[in-house]
Amino acid sequence: MESLTNAIQAVPLNHYIILSALIFSIGVMGVLLRRNAIVIFMSVELMLNSVNLLLTAFSVYRGDAAGQVFVFFIMALAAAEVAVGLAIIVMIYRNTNSIDINVLNRLKW
């Protein structure tokens, strides 16, 4: 375990921040630009994983386990989000025969 910590600390913290920002921006662009509900949920998962990466990196660099505890809570939240989100997508598909977000306007009336 000590060698893993040393290996993680060998990479500068700036690289983790840049990688996490890049993954988060890809997720934001996926949410804003795509119309497929499954792709939007995958983009939200990308954003949550980038936050997990950043929390873990800060936790290792500070030598504090609090960030890793938050990662477990975020993973539980992501699992619940996937379960509820996929159930909603299945119900929308049953009603509209499409998972396109623009088709959801028909559900208003």
Side-chain angles (χ1 to χ4, degrees), residues 65-77:
Q68 294 173 8
V69 171
F70 281 123
V71 166
F72 284 121
F73 286 127
I74 292 173
M75 289 172 73
L77 173 81

Side-chain angles (χ1 to χ4, degrees), residues 47-57 70-72 74-75:
M47 290 190 290
L48 289 174
N49 284 330
S50 71
V51 172
N52 284 344
L53 173 68
L54 200 58
L55 282 172
T56 305
F70 281 123
V71 166
F72 284 121
I74 292 173
M75 289 172 73

